[in-house]
Amino acid sequence: MPTKIGIRQLVEFVLRSGDLNEIKNSQNTAQNGARIHRRLQKQRSKDSNYESEVYLKSIVNMNDTEYLISGRADGITLTDAQAVIEEIKTSDQPYDELSDNTLELYWGQVKVYGNLILKEHPEFEHVTLQLTYFRVSTEEITTDEKVFQRDELDKFFQDLIDEYEYWLVLRAKLRKTRNESIQKLAFPFPAFRTGQHELAAAVYKTIYLQKRLFVEAPTGTGKTISTLFPAIKAMGEEKVQRLFYLTAKQSTRHVAEETLELMADKGLKLKSITLTAKDKIRFPEEQDVLPEENPYMIGYYDRLKPALSDLLTNEDAITRAVIEKYAQKHMVDPFEFSLDASLFCDVIICDYNYLFDPLVYLQRFFIEKDTDNFFLIDEVHNLVSRSRDMYSAEVNDKAINSLLKSAKAIKNKSSEEFQKQLKKIRRVFNQMKKVIQEEDREEKITDDAPDKLLNVLGKFDDFMGEWMQEQKPSDFLDKAKDFFFSCLTFVKIGALYDDSYKTRIVLEDKHVIVKQLCLDPSHFIDQSLDLGLGAVLFSATLSPMEYYQSVLGGIDNSLAYQLPSPFPANNQDILITQYVQTTYKQRPYNEENIVTSLVTMIKAKTGNYLFFFPSYSYLQQVKVAFERDNPDVKTIAQTGAMDNAARKDFLEQFQENPAETLVAFCVLGGIFSEGIDLRGDRLIGVAIVSVGLPGLSAENNLIRDYYDKENGHGFEYAYQMPGMNNVLQAAGRLIRSSHDAGIILLLDQRFSSSRYTKLFPQHWQHYRRINSMEQLTGAVNNFWKDHQHED
């Protein structure tokens, strides 16, 4: 079967030149563009000779391989006398302000269509090509027609193919080298750990069957190598061509890089790249510089191909440092360079948002389904809350009055127009405020999209696209842009509004906040995952599996696999205190029992301990009481705003073979409850106070009510499952290797109820209920007596 190459992809890669012009605040979304295309095509269809969305293709031979060049022409009118091909383009800019290269790309695409239609119709010696340009902000339509002869279009097409062939030859050589190295690649460790071979086989089978697989792989399974290795083996057999390794955190991206480096040491030859967020990888001299003044963007496309050739010829593991090195050498913007380089890479390591976020996903890969791609999604428990945030948006009126005041001081027509647009928005906000005040309440929740607000914000966005280009840099412009981007995000999310959404309108300090809340993003996740051949979604904690399959779009079309812990069960004691209650009303009466239990835990053995609490206020309350009764015990505490340096200092307190006990007070769901690795005796005990339920809130209650209607499990989905996930993640800090030993102390009698024990993972089934302080003392002391050989 010939390899497919899209006409637009071919044209843009070969013909793009000149400056890198970032999309200028465009309201021209894919949905909007498709709507405009359909509207114009419907008008044209009154002509019986007109046909829309015409599929054109041609097979060409490059590098001794057949390639299918294909695409869809927006419209073709065929008569006995002539052929007319129309290409429709939509954008915010005036037609006469489009760059020469943009027009070259537009015409290049339709010229390829013209060449293909002439191949299909030898009776014609020329074709009429029509470019129809729709300016979104004004709905102004500009049309331009050109007639091309067969011979000039043949030459144009052949020149494209000749230029592109160099890159196909390069990619073919890279893939041949890759596949040969994969076929020789052995598992990079002397033997598989418990569960690793089974997981690797399940991943390979998932790719073979083109399915989705949800995997709970407890700490110690080696899930990164157990997913990457079989996926790469499948790549060597041409079952997939590209792997996306998607993560929520920078630390897990580093683990993926290290795993690939390990296989490279064993002979693997493939191209991997780690994508870094735009604001983190830009050079200092690019900050606060307009694109037309940025030396890394001026002439970007003229330097891109030499830069790519240099990079791909000399590097395999393309990390952030490597991208920066070659971007500096060739004077190209590092973020855009990384995206362009990713087209030639076999493994792409990146954040979740590059696939799932509707505002920033990688359009070069995810406009339509491509079975060459396969997804490995790490720490997927994080995707539940992340995806709700991606598909939700809020906007408020807090900035409007100050913007109007600043604009009023600028005496020109442009400022007057800006004020006029802003006052229209303020009027809609005031109408919303009036409704809430008349009903004598502070918030309103509705099933309906905020259509009036979306309409006025959409018009404001259209206006701003042009207005901002006319303004000189200033603090006022920066603030206006901030408000504009909030509006733009709100409008784009509004285009997705469906039955899984609620609108929440809140009156707060005389200001109106409007939120579009996505309560159930599972169908959006499902659509994103369907853009590839399949996916493996994995985490150390994915219990109960049915919950995660449901909220992550896999309930009807996925497989599930849960591995046992590879570590000895008796290395970890799980103790539930029946005598402690931590509900809000009971907290004052249980403080003494909690402190005494914590002291009992640490007195049995000198070492380092983590104590987790559901909130900073509760943490502080117990910490004060603990320190009052135990002034000689060294304590540290997590604070609300800790940068990387503070986080590092905190973790460095956990030393091996400590001479004195260290107690660290932390928050469930915070930066120290996952993603940290304190092996051996750097950590010997974890205490978790409460079942970790998220705080009661209007938005969590909306999630509860939604799932009550969907499946009758509203409280579990909104409160219990997210809380239990935080508990399991925090407890997972304890046992990180086969030699680790320690105690998990669960301080809340609710943990012993069947409602919670049924959620415990398989390696927690040896938990014990503790009914008194005396029983706790005995249990803790006996555990450490049994593990004296670890000292």
Side-chain angles (χ1 to χ4, degrees):
M1 181 182 292
T3 301
K4 292 181 182 179
I5 299 174
I7 288 173
R8 183 172 177 177
Q9 172 192 341
L10 171 69
V11 169
E12 289 194 352
F13 187 82
V14 175
L15 295 184
R16 196 179 286 280
S17 64
D19 301 344
L20 172 63
N21 294 314
E22 294 182 306
I23 296 171
K24 293 189 176 181
N25 313 318
S26 176
Q27 177 55 20
N28 183 35
T29 62
Q31 297 101 323
N32 203 28
R35 178 182 59 79
I36 293 165
H37 273 63
R38 288 193 297 271
R39 178 171 134 195
L40 295 178
Q41 288 166 336
K42 187 176 180 181
Q43 294 172 4
R44 310 285 193 269
S45 63
K46 294 174 184 176
D47 183 344
S48 60
N49 294 313
Y50 178 86
E51 186 179 355
S52 64
E53 299 298 321
V54 180
Y55 182 70
L56 298 170
K57 66 181 190 295
S58 177
I59 291 178
V60 299
N61 194 289
M62 293 183 280
N63 191 34
D64 299 324
T65 304
E66 285 192 337
Y67 290 88
L68 178 69
I69 311 296
S70 63
R72 292 188 180 276
D74 292 326
I76 295 181
T77 304
L78 276 178
T79 65
D80 292 340
Q82 66 171 351
V84 179
I85 302 177
E86 180 182 39
E87 177 67 13
I88 301 169
K89 295 296 182 184
T90 62
S91 183
D92 293 333
Q93 285 182 279
Y95 183 76
D96 57 8
E97 290 182 14
L98 294 176
S99 69
D100 290 343
N101 186 237
T102 298
L103 288 170
E104 184 182 13
L105 294 175
Y106 287 172
W107 282 111
Q109 192 172 340
V110 73
K111 282 161 75 174
V112 174
Y113 293 142
N115 177 259
L116 298 187
I117 202 74
L118 289 177
K119 285 178 179 175
E120 286 186 11
H121 293 271
E123 67 272 21
F124 297 131
E125 283 304 315
H126 63 267
V127 62
T128 301
L129 305 182
Q130 177 179 308
L131 181 62
T132 300
Y133 182 80
F134 186 99
R135 187 182 177 197
V136 178
S137 56
T138 62
E139 299 203 350
E140 178 186 358
I141 297 175
T142 304
T143 58
D144 193 3
E145 279 191 0
K146 295 181 180 180
V147 177
F148 289 91
Q149 301 300 315
R150 178 184 293 275
D151 58 350
E152 58 183 321
L153 289 183
D154 282 344
K155 183 179 186 307
F156 172 79
F157 184 74
Q158 191 57 49
D159 287 346
L160 280 181
I161 296 303
D162 291 345
E163 167 72 15
Y164 200 67
E165 187 168 14
Y166 166 81
W167 298 96
L168 288 175
V169 170
L170 175 61
R171 188 169 70 174
K173 286 179 179 176
L174 294 175
R175 285 188 175 174
K176 184 173 185 289
T177 302
R178 177 196 76 185
N179 292 348
E180 288 174 353
S181 74
I182 292 173
Q183 287 157 17
K184 298 173 187 174
L185 183 68
F187 191 67
F189 294 103
F192 286 95
R193 289 186 202 167
T194 303
Q196 275 188 328
H197 196 276
E198 294 83 352
L199 174 55
V203 170
Y204 181 87
K205 190 174 182 181
T206 300
I207 297 172
Y208 181 79
L209 296 175
Q210 303 181 20
K211 293 283 189 180
R212 293 181 203 166
L213 175 68
F214 284 76
V215 178
E216 182 176 76
T219 301
T221 308
K223 58 185 185 299
T224 307
I225 187 66
S226 302
T227 51
L228 269 173
F229 177 74
I232 286 170
K233 286 301 244 184
M235 180 184 287
E237 298 170 6
E238 299 277 352
K239 289 181 170 58
V240 291
Q241 295 295 349
R242 188 181 294 110
L243 298 174
F244 286 87
Y245 194 97
L246 298 133
T247 75
K249 293 183 172 64
Q250 193 171 347
S251 58
T252 30
R253 290 196 277 281
H254 288 322
V255 172
E257 289 175 344
E258 290 164 1
T259 302
L260 289 171
E261 186 180 346
L262 176 68
M263 287 188 275
D265 291 341
K266 301 294 183 180
L268 177 64
K269 294 282 186 185
L270 57 65
K271 302 295 179 185
S272 67
I273 190 167
T274 304
L275 299 181
T276 305
K278 182 189 295 187
D279 59 341
K280 291 182 179 178
I281 199 173
R282 283 216 161 143
F283 296 129
E285 54 268 40
E286 290 189 277
Q287 303 299 332
D288 303 319
V289 176
L290 294 172
E292 55 267 30
E293 298 173 5
N294 185 334
Y296 294 91
M297 293 185 177
I298 299 169
Y300 173 87
Y301 288 107
D302 301 327
R303 298 187 297 275
L304 173 61
K305 289 170 189 171
L308 283 174
S309 182
D310 191 9
L311 174 73
L312 296 169
T313 303
N314 294 294
E315 304 288 349
D316 287 337
I318 306 172
T319 60
R320 172 180 174 174
V322 171
I323 282 290
E324 289 176 334
K325 172 185 171 183
Y326 283 84
Q328 193 75 257
K329 177 181 177 182
H330 292 274
M331 288 295 289
V332 290
D333 176 75
F335 177 70
E336 292 295 333
F337 182 47
S338 69
L339 297 184
D340 286 319
S342 68
L343 289 166
F344 295 88
C345 291
D346 308 298
V347 180
I348 298 172
I349 303 167
C350 58
D351 187 87
Y352 293 157
N353 60 4
Y354 287 108
L355 172 61
F356 297 105
D357 193 315
L359 305 182
V360 299
Y361 70 94
L362 293 173
Q363 294 191 28
R364 64 197 67 210
F365 292 114
F366 303 133
I367 286 288
E368 58 187 10
K369 186 180 180 74
D370 186 348
T371 54
D372 278 350
N373 298 330
F374 191 84
F375 308 125
L376 299 175
I377 307 171
D378 197 359
E379 303 291 359
V380 75
H381 62 273
N382 287 302
L383 186 56
V384 180
S385 59
R386 277 283 299 273
S387 58
R388 279 200 185 101
D389 290 341
M390 288 175 191
Y391 290 97
S392 299
E394 73 170 73
V395 70
N396 62 67
D397 65 350
K398 293 177 183 177
I400 292 178
N401 285 339
S402 63
L403 284 171
L404 284 171
K405 186 177 179 181
S406 298
K408 199 172 182 181
I410 303 170
K411 306 295 184 182
N412 59 37
K413 188 175 180 182
S414 176
S415 175
E416 289 173 7
E417 284 295 315
F418 176 80
Q419 293 174 61
K420 183 179 176 182
Q421 295 292 329
L422 213 52
K423 285 175 181 177
K424 290 179 182 178
I425 298 174
R426 185 173 65 177
R427 197 173 300 127
V428 175
F429 272 116
N430 286 339
Q431 289 169 357
M432 292 176 143
K433 183 191 294 187
K434 185 179 179 182
V435 170
I436 294 176
Q437 288 174 331
E438 286 177 348
E439 295 176 359
D440 194 26
R441 54 187 187 178
E442 293 181 350
E443 71 172 60
K444 181 178 182 179
I445 294 166
T446 174
D447 293 337
D448 301 323
D451 289 330
K452 283 186 179 178
L453 184 60
L454 287 167
N455 184 48
V456 73
L457 293 181
K459 291 177 179 176
F460 174 72
D461 292 342
D462 291 343
F463 163 79
M464 287 292 286
E466 189 170 334
W467 180 86
M468 286 186 292
Q469 295 176 45
E470 300 170 354
Q471 308 307 307
K472 293 179 180 179
S474 66
D475 289 342
F476 166 64
L477 178 60
D478 290 341
K479 290 174 183 176
K481 280 184 175 180
D482 289 342
F483 183 68
F484 161 73
F485 284 124
S486 295
C487 297
L488 186 64
T489 298
F490 194 82
V491 171
K492 287 184 176 179
I493 292 299
L496 304 173
Y497 202 102
D498 61 15
D499 292 342
S500 68
Y501 278 82
K502 295 280 187 184
T503 299
R504 183 171 178 239
I505 307 166
V506 181
L507 192 59
E508 185 180 281
D509 297 330
K510 298 183 180 179
H511 291 291
V512 180
I513 303 167
V514 184
K515 298 185 178 183
Q516 296 177 112
L517 297 168
C518 180
L519 308 177
D520 176 14
S522 60
H523 56 301
F524 294 123
I525 297 173
D526 178 47
Q527 289 170 4
S528 294
L529 292 174
D530 197 46
L531 292 168
L533 181 81
V536 177
L537 305 92
F538 53 100
S539 175
T541 56
L542 221 56
S543 296
M545 184 65 76
E546 296 80 8
Y547 162 72
Y548 286 100
Q549 287 178 288
S550 172
V551 296
L552 295 175
I555 199 68
D556 297 322
N557 56 0
S558 66
L559 310 170
Y561 189 52
Q562 290 177 288
L563 280 77
S565 172
F567 302 141
N570 61 2
N571 278 12
Q572 176 175 270
D573 215 3
I574 299 170
L575 308 175
I576 303 174
T577 58
Q578 296 279 79
Y579 53 85
V580 170
Q581 298 181 54
T582 69
T583 58
Y584 194 77
K585 289 182 179 179
Q586 292 295 326
R587 286 179 185 179
Y589 311 110
N590 281 262
E591 184 179 285
E592 183 179 347
N593 276 345
I594 291 171
V595 171
T596 305
S597 299
L598 295 174
V599 172
T600 299
M601 181 187 195
I602 67 172
K603 276 190 173 178
K605 183 175 174 64
T606 298
N608 302 322
Y609 297 84
L610 281 170
F611 296 167
F612 287 97
F613 298 82
S615 67
Y616 282 103
S617 59
Y618 197 17
L619 177 157
Q620 195 60 33
Q621 175 190 329
V622 176
K623 180 174 177 286
V624 168
F626 181 92
E627 290 175 335
R628 182 189 61 226
D629 296 346
N630 304 275
D632 296 332
V633 176
K634 181 182 178 182
T635 63
I636 56 175
Q638 178 182 348
T639 58
M642 297 180 78
D643 58 20
N644 286 336
R647 181 176 182 269
K648 184 181 177 185
D649 290 343
F650 185 94
L651 293 175
E652 284 178 351
Q653 303 292 314
F654 292 79
Q655 296 294 316
E656 293 182 3
N657 304 314
E660 63 175 341
T661 287
L662 170 71
V663 170
F665 289 78
C666 300
V667 175
L668 280 169
I671 56 175
F672 299 114
S673 62
E674 62 176 294
I676 63 171
D677 205 9
L678 300 170
R679 291 175 180 262
D681 61 4
R682 290 184 66 198
L683 181 67
I684 64 168
V686 171
I688 299 172
V689 181
S690 89
V691 292
L693 298 179
L696 285 170
S697 71
E699 291 175 15
N700 284 335
N701 286 343
L702 288 174
I703 297 171
R704 178 198 63 196
D705 296 343
Y706 172 86
Y707 281 107
D708 266 338
K709 289 180 182 177
E710 287 292 305
N711 57 26
H713 296 289
F715 177 78
E716 292 97 315
Y717 276 40
Y719 289 101
Q720 188 183 6
M721 304 299 190
M724 193 61 193
N725 174 65
N726 288 337
V727 168
L728 292 172
Q729 286 296 318
R733 299 314 95 211
L734 183 61
I735 304 297
R736 310 298 296 174
S737 75
S738 58
H739 300 294
D740 293 3
I743 294 171
I744 294 172
L745 183 60
L746 303 175
L747 290 148
D748 193 313
Q749 65 178 200
R750 286 174 288 184
F751 279 119
S752 64
S753 69
S754 60
R755 188 172 198 169
Y756 279 90
T757 56
K758 71 180 181 182
L759 305 180
F760 286 5
Q762 187 177 343
H763 58 283
W764 274 33
Q765 296 308 313
H766 63 287
Y767 67 88
R768 289 190 288 163
R769 295 182 173 91
I770 303 296
N771 297 305
S772 66
M773 208 70 70
E774 292 76 20
Q775 190 181 356
L776 177 63
T777 303
V780 173
N781 287 333
N782 288 335
F783 176 84
W784 288 120
K785 282 180 184 176
D786 292 341
H787 289 81
Q788 284 179 354
H789 63 279
E790 298 291 340
D791 293 341

